[in-house]
Amino acid sequence: MTQPQDPFSYPPIDPVNFDLIIVGTALSESVIAAAASAVGKTILHLDPNSFYGSHFASLSLHDLTSYLSSPHSLPSAAATTTDSDDVVVIDFVQQPLCSDAEIATYDESAFLSENSRKFSIDLGGPKALFCADKTIDLLMKSGAAQYLEFKGIDESFVYEANAGLANVPDSRGSIFRDKKLSLKEKNQLMRFFKLVQQHLDDTQEEKIPEEDLEIAFVSFLEKMKLPPKIKSILLYAIAMLDYDQDNNEVCIELLKTKDGIDSLALYSSSVGRFPNAPGALLYPIYGEGELPQAFCRRAAVKGCIYVLRMSVVSLLMDKVTGSYKGVRLASGQDLYSHQLILDPSFMIPSPLSSSPRDFPSEKLQMLGQRDIKGMVARGICITRSSIKPDVSNCSVVYPPRSLYPEQLTSIKALQIGSNLAVCPAGTFILYFSTMCNDADEGKKLLKAAMNALLTLPVSGNSESIPSVQSDSEDIKPIVLWSAFYIQKLIMCKLEFISSTPTPDGNLNYDDLLDATRKLFNQMYPDEEFFPKSTSPEDPTDEDDNGLTLDS
Amino acid sequence: MAENGEGGEEYLFKIVLIGDSAVGKSNLLSRFARNEFDSNSKATIGVEFQTQLVEIDGKEIKAQIWDTAGQERFRAVTSAYYRGAVGALVVYDISRRGTFDSIKRWLQELTTQNDSTVARMLVGNKCDLENIREVSTEEGKSLAEEEGLFFMETSALDATNVQTAFEIVIREIYNNISRKVLNSDSYKAELSVNRVSLVNGAGSKQGPSCCSR
């Protein structure tokens, strides 16, 4: 990682008063910076790292290894409060969102170390965009799209127990081409898709009955007499559900039919939306870390001030009212703002080691509150060959119970090749993720998913991982490098201090960006989220900016 | 290379401006693209890039010159800013020694963030401030020679050498393409196939990343 510059060597930040200070350049923070800048707010955007993207960054192999290996802590580790004339200074602690990292290198040549910089590996993968999802609309509306280019994910697969990878039948053509579906299954699937299309078509009168829309989607599929295999594809490979819908103990919230239909609609309207992307998914060239950078550039063009390698160490609170006033930087400078947005890794310890006299105690209790909404286990593997011959970029879903009977959650995987400029020619990056409540269980699941498609060099094979035998005759790619780690899902909100959502377990960004939009609307209820600019001075309206490097 | 309707060829080159705050990057750009100079210019806000048409060997070249949007002030230029750049003007202010001392760091960042061959020029700006010069022309030349850069002293204020500096970089990019130095990596060729751009719709993208119809 590039050596962090000593924050003391920076010139003082001027001005010292802002509408908004944002700490962290993850996707949510970057979107809010761009949206708030677009409506004229004065913003200071800081990041303790030497790179953009925080936990949505794409990093070189060396930088990723360093990031996962060394927990990030603030310069001031002791959680204390100090008094000055009119403010109470409360020290932050920073807890890394990534934990329990296991990193292994199986490549005995110097290939990986020599090519470290040619890798651009996502910290929050697997992530992709549906061609028709709201993220695409936001990129275009905000102007961030002009800094980005994408490629389509060539194929989508579902992993079937004892049968290996099968294509996701996501269009009329792919259903009829599918050699693994019987004629009866093909007809059932076609009839079901036709029913969904009719339901969504306003000109058609035949709709799914209202009472069916309110029942669990899994029950509706059973009512439609769809066989388990088709049901599994619809629930996990197309609707992208995380939890076993047939297991009421695990699945706290069953997806309703109306939401299931919406998921199918998103998927089917994504297929073939762009001429160059025949499938449903897009992935940004150079990695997901390009997305936050694009929004940061938008914000900078509108006047947002950017400082990397600069952390905040303390919170400044009004001594009398207990309300937020500002932050103290690692450089010692105090800055003030109306509002503060914090990367979710920042927190106030509770209880504080020393409480200032007269400071409202309920404020202190609130400051320590964090809502942990579960965990995502993530895995990354680097290989020399594709999991499917002649396919460079593809997605894979492992439905619950497809690897072993105790598998309660689906696993999402994404293979990205060198034609997306994220790895050297002839190599591939595979991302895996699954929701979990326990770090060991999550990593065990991902290792089983890895073993189903990949081979560890003989010396590196672990016996404790459930081995899944695929009847596929293809030779499995050999793993050169792997990492498994856990990300906590955290959310907290205070009166003037907001914490952005962490990377979730979804394949796409829509839920995350919905939460971001909601946060923006709470902060600025009278402002539009990315208004369409009509100003002739606005560069987004100039012809120049209609040009991309290859438009 | 894509051909245009008139049977000629059209190129689009991305060129980036880098260097410390207040060395005159935005004014160099406005002088080259619009023949304007703003003596009151504050830290850069609102400037994305400017496109300037230049003709070389009968070919129409679109130079798309990007400005930092002020992100250089605290050394926070995004890696994406450098992506696809085939030319760079690395600028210092001849009246401020510190801005010259930063040049090696800017060059290192450019090298780290960009894999392709970049036509680079070291630009000593504000040469109209001769009476308060802190960096001699010889020092500039010497550093440029050491690092393999073109070198020129300019003044955005009185337009000295501004046009020439940009044109030298554009010609060098053109020469690099002619010599096929650019995009020699096999994956760069892969990159150019089937790209999806959300600007102006999406279509099939062919040819090297620096050039387009």
Side-chain angles (χ1 to χ4, degrees):
Chain A
M1 215 161 289
T2 44
Q3 273 310 101
Q5 184 166 333
D6 176 7
F8 295 90
S9 70
Y10 282 134
I13 292 168
D14 177 39
V16 294
N17 290 293
F18 297 89
D19 291 324
L20 174 62
I21 293 174
I22 305 176
V23 183
T25 53
L27 186 59
S28 287
E29 292 98 282
S30 304
V31 168
I32 286 178
S37 298
V39 294
K41 303 297 175 193
T42 57
I43 302 170
L44 173 66
H45 201 169
L46 309 163
D47 197 311
N49 297 305
S50 58
F51 53 84
Y52 280 90
S54 302
H55 28 275
F56 284 86
S58 299
L59 302 172
S60 72
L61 186 57
H62 173 266
D63 288 359
L64 178 79
T65 306
S66 306
Y67 187 89
L68 292 176
S69 308
S70 54
H72 291 54
S73 57
L74 287 167
S76 163
T80 56
T81 63
T82 52
D83 258 343
S84 74
D85 290 344
D86 55 349
V87 293
V88 173
V89 181
I90 303 170
D91 289 351
F92 285 115
V93 290
Q94 196 179 3
Q95 289 193 335
L97 294 180
C98 298
S99 62
D100 302 271
E102 287 177 34
I103 300 168
T105 304
Y106 304 102
D107 173 39
E108 286 170 16
S109 71
F111 173 79
L112 290 178
S113 54
E114 283 169 3
N115 288 279
S116 167
R117 262 191 46 232
K118 287 189 177 168
F119 286 95
S120 184
I121 305 174
D122 300 344
L123 198 50
K127 280 272 188 268
L129 292 81
F130 283 104
C131 293
D133 71 20
K134 287 181 275 192
T135 309
I136 299 284
D137 299 334
L138 181 66
L139 286 168
M140 292 199 276
K141 188 182 180 190
S142 65
Q146 67 186 318
Y147 313 121
L148 298 161
E149 282 186 309
F150 300 85
K151 283 198 177 193
I153 298 298
D154 311 315
E155 306 254 8
S156 294
F157 299 107
V158 61
Y159 182 84
E160 294 178 349
N162 309 316
L165 297 178
N167 280 82
V168 173
D170 50 20
S171 65
R172 184 188 292 266
S174 65
I175 290 170
F176 283 113
R177 279 195 306 273
D178 199 315
K179 294 187 177 79
K180 292 196 177 185
L181 291 175
S182 68
L183 189 60
K184 185 184 176 186
E185 286 170 331
K186 287 179 182 183
N187 286 328
Q188 285 173 312
L189 202 49
M190 283 302 294
R191 273 202 304 274
F192 181 74
F193 278 144
K194 192 176 177 187
L195 174 72
V196 171
Q197 267 177 329
Q198 282 176 335
H199 176 77
L200 294 167
D201 187 347
D202 294 334
T203 63
Q204 297 282 336
E205 284 184 22
E206 200 170 322
K207 301 283 181 194
I208 295 167
E210 198 61 44
E211 62 269 22
D212 282 349
L213 291 174
E214 291 303 319
I215 64 170
F217 191 38
V218 65
S219 307
F220 177 67
L221 297 179
E222 278 157 10
K223 193 175 174 181
M224 300 300 295
K225 297 191 167 48
L226 291 171
K229 179 178 167 181
I230 299 291
K231 199 174 76 174
S232 181
I233 288 170
L234 291 169
L235 289 170
Y236 307 108
I238 294 181
M240 296 277 174
L241 297 177
D242 288 311
Y243 293 98
D244 187 345
Q245 299 290 295
D246 290 311
N247 186 331
N248 290 351
E249 286 174 36
V250 186
C251 195
I252 306 143
E253 266 188 75
L254 286 172
L255 186 82
K256 287 186 176 177
T257 301
K258 61 179 179 185
D259 300 319
I261 298 295
D262 286 345
S263 300
L264 299 190
L266 169 64
Y267 198 108
S268 62
S269 58
S270 293
V271 174
R273 179 184 177 187
F274 296 110
N276 289 349
L281 297 167
L282 290 178
Y283 183 86
I285 294 178
Y286 302 110
E288 75 155 344
E290 297 297 290
L291 296 174
Q293 288 192 61
F295 284 103
C296 288
R297 168 88 183 172
R298 282 315 293 147
V301 165
K302 298 287 185 183
C304 178
I305 295 174
Y306 277 89
V307 189
L308 297 184
R309 308 169 195 84
M310 178 66 81
S311 194
V312 292
V313 290
S314 312
L315 193 60
L316 309 179
M317 306 289 283
D318 187 285
K319 190 186 271 186
V320 180
T321 63
S323 60
Y324 162 78
K325 287 195 83 169
V327 292
R328 178 163 294 165
L329 304 183
S331 63
Q333 188 180 4
D334 288 352
L335 298 171
Y336 303 92
S337 65
H338 299 305
Q339 309 231 40
L340 173 68
I341 287 181
L342 285 172
D343 175 302
S345 63
F346 284 84
M347 63 176 290
I348 303 291
S350 183
L352 288 158
S353 57
S354 61
S355 297
R357 264 197 339 271
D358 309 326
F359 188 71
S361 58
E362 70 280 2
K363 292 279 182 184
L364 287 178
Q365 284 172 341
M366 280 177 70
L367 286 173
Q369 286 176 355
R370 270 153 72 94
D371 190 5
I372 296 180
K373 295 181 180 294
M375 298 185 237
V376 185
R378 299 195 190 277
I380 306 166
C381 296
I382 296 171
T383 66
R384 280 275 203 183
S385 55
S386 173
I387 54 173
K388 202 77 171 161
D390 304 321
V391 175
S392 183
N393 310 310
C394 60
S395 66
V396 181
V397 170
Y398 302 74
R401 301 188 306 281
S402 60
L403 291 167
Y404 52 88
E406 303 79 39
Q407 180 196 345
L408 302 174
T409 54
S410 69
I411 297 166
K412 299 179 182 79
L414 190 64
Q415 175 183 276
I416 302 295
S418 61
N419 67 356
L420 274 152
V422 296
C423 51
T427 60
F428 298 84
I429 302 174
L430 258 109
Y431 298 101
F432 298 90
S433 76
T434 190
M435 300 298 291
C436 61
N437 294 315
D438 171 78
D440 292 336
E441 177 57 33
K443 287 196 281 188
K444 179 184 161 188
L445 263 175
L446 296 189
K447 287 173 185 176
M450 174 183 77
N451 281 356
L453 296 179
L454 309 174
T455 308
L456 290 177
V458 180
S459 60
N461 231 324
S462 167
E463 290 168 28
S464 63
I465 305 161
S467 185
V468 182
Q469 196 52 49
S470 165
D471 69 355
S472 163
E473 288 169 29
D474 301 328
I475 297 166
K476 290 182 182 179
I478 293 171
V479 179
L480 299 179
W481 182 93
S482 70
F484 296 95
Y485 54 100
I486 302 296
Q487 273 187 334
K488 292 186 185 76
L489 300 177
I490 299 164
M491 193 75 184
C492 49
K493 172 82 180 91
L494 285 170
E495 200 177 345
F496 292 100
I497 305 167
S498 304
S499 177
T500 48
T502 42
D504 55 27
N506 298 340
L507 188 63
N508 72 338
Y509 299 93
D510 277 9
D511 285 358
L512 186 101
L513 291 175
D514 279 345
T516 304
R517 181 195 292 261
K518 203 176 285 180
L519 179 56
F520 178 86
N521 290 337
Q522 284 167 2
M523 292 168 63
Y524 302 117
D526 301 328
E527 301 288 3
E528 193 185 340
F529 189 61
F530 290 112
K532 178 76 188 96
S533 173
T534 51
S535 158
E537 290 85 36
D538 190 329
T540 54
D541 292 331
E542 288 178 13
D543 288 345
D544 281 359
N545 284 27
L547 295 165
T548 55
L549 288 186
D550 59 348
S551 54
Chain B
M1 223 59 69
E3 290 197 359
N4 65 18
E6 287 75 49
E9 288 174 325
E10 194 182 289
Y11 300 81
L12 178 66
F13 297 161
K14 177 178 175 178
I15 298 168
V16 292
L17 286 160
I18 52 175
D20 283 0
S21 259
V23 294
K25 297 184 295 296
S26 299
N27 270 322
L28 280 169
L29 178 52
S30 60
R31 175 63 77 191
F32 174 63
R34 301 194 305 275
N35 198 24
E36 290 173 8
F37 179 88
D38 179 5
S39 56
N40 300 317
S41 67
K42 297 191 181 78
T44 305
I45 291 176
V47 180
E48 280 284 16
F49 51 75
Q50 304 278 342
T51 303
Q52 186 71 353
L53 290 175
V54 180
E55 196 175 288
I56 294 181
D57 296 350
K59 308 275 196 306
E60 191 176 80
I61 311 286
K62 267 195 183 118
Q64 190 186 64
I65 303 147
W66 288 65
D67 205 351
T68 56
Q71 287 176 299
E72 83 289 356
R73 186 172 158 198
F74 295 100
R75 302 198 72 80
V77 176
T78 64
S79 56
Y81 177 72
Y82 297 97
R83 296 247 192 263
V86 286
L89 277 78
V90 192
V91 188
Y92 66 93
D93 172 353
I94 65 137
S95 69
R96 285 190 295 144
R97 159 73 51 185
T99 66
F100 180 71
D101 295 338
S102 300
I103 290 295
K104 285 203 174 179
R105 273 206 300 191
W106 285 114
L107 289 172
Q108 188 190 344
E109 190 161 303
L110 180 62
T111 308
T112 305
Q113 305 290 6
N114 194 316
D115 273 345
S116 52
T117 307
V118 180
R120 303 173 304 165
M121 173 170 280
L122 180 63
V123 175
N125 193 36
K126 307 192 188 179
C127 68
D128 51 282
L129 300 177
E130 190 61 51
N131 56 331
I132 52 167
R133 177 189 281 276
E134 289 185 0
V135 183
S136 71
T137 306
E138 283 62 41
E139 284 177 286
K141 269 185 189 159
S142 167
L143 177 62
E145 216 164 275
E146 181 190 326
E147 296 287 345
L149 281 68
F150 291 99
F151 173 70
M152 190 147 283
E153 287 194 340
T154 61
S155 167
L157 178 89
D158 62 24
T160 303
N161 287 337
V162 175
Q163 187 84 11
T164 314
F166 279 100
E167 282 176 0
I168 288 171
V169 170
I170 293 163
R171 178 167 282 281
E172 180 62 11
I173 298 166
Y174 178 77
N175 291 341
N176 284 342
I177 284 178
S178 307
R179 293 195 300 263
K180 295 198 166 44
V181 176
L182 277 172
N183 298 305
S184 53
D185 288 6
S186 61
Y187 90 81
K188 294 254 171 64
E190 288 179 359
L191 248 188
S192 62
V193 179
N194 287 334
R195 291 193 287 193
V196 174
S197 169
L198 304 181
V199 183
N200 293 348
S204 180
K205 315 290 183 182
Q206 307 295 340
S209 61
C210 60
C211 320
S212 75
R213 180 167 299 191

